Amino acid sequence: MVLGFVVFWPLGLAMLAYILWGDRLPNLARDAREQWNASPLAQGLSSGRGFSGVHPTGNAAFDDYRARELKRLEEERARIDEMRAEFDAFLRELRRARDQEEFDRFMADRGRGPASPSAGTGAGRGAPEA
């Protein structure tokens, strides 16, 4: 442990923590897991239902309001998901069109043979030659 502090202090600190609390590590992990499983957040996330698994409060007016709002939010989410799918399809088509254009240009350039040295310099397009 002393050598661990001399060589690299975090290693020595880790060794000291293991010596002091090493026998408790399996219990510590088990306790943390039990506390997480007992928490309301973990139960809400593990239900897979999101907010639809919320329990009634006993106030009928509030429960009705909450049900209407959750339904509205679910409809809004579905509409946004549909818009996202349409936009993704649009982007795929745009990429496909761009790829097709680049491929057509490549095939046209390939059919002409080797390019002349002045083809890429702007000569012949109104640029003055040196």
Side-chain angles (χ1 to χ4, degrees):
M1 182 180 71
V2 173
L3 185 62
F5 273 108
V6 170
V7 174
F8 187 62
W9 70 266
L11 180 63
L13 192 60
M15 180 62 76
L16 180 62
Y18 181 74
I19 289 170
L20 293 177
W21 298 296
D23 57 338
R24 298 182 196 168
L25 285 178
N27 295 336
L28 184 67
R30 181 180 42 80
D31 291 342
R33 193 171 22 260
E34 287 174 1
Q35 284 182 358
W36 169 253
N37 290 337
S39 73
L41 180 62
Q43 291 171 359
L45 292 175
S46 67
S47 69
R49 294 180 294 180
F51 291 112
S52 61
V54 177
H55 302 290
T57 61
N59 184 329
F62 177 75
D63 289 342
D64 291 343
Y65 166 77
R66 181 175 56 191
R68 282 191 313 270
E69 286 298 307
L70 290 175
K71 184 174 189 272
R72 184 186 64 79
L73 288 173
E74 288 173 6
E75 290 170 355
E76 182 74 14
R77 177 62 183 228
R79 188 179 65 79
I80 289 172
D81 287 343
E82 182 181 324
M83 288 174 56
R84 173 69 188 257
E86 290 174 3
F87 184 69
D88 288 344
F90 172 75
L91 286 179
R92 276 193 304 276
E93 183 60 29
L94 203 59
R95 285 186 197 108
R96 191 203 61 74
R98 185 188 67 219
D99 291 347
Q100 184 66 45
E101 179 185 332
E102 290 174 356
F103 176 73
D104 291 342
R105 190 172 352 142
F106 167 75
M107 291 303 285
D109 290 347
R110 185 172 171 247
R112 278 190 269 172
S116 64
S118 64
T121 61
R125 288 186 279 172
E129 294 185 24

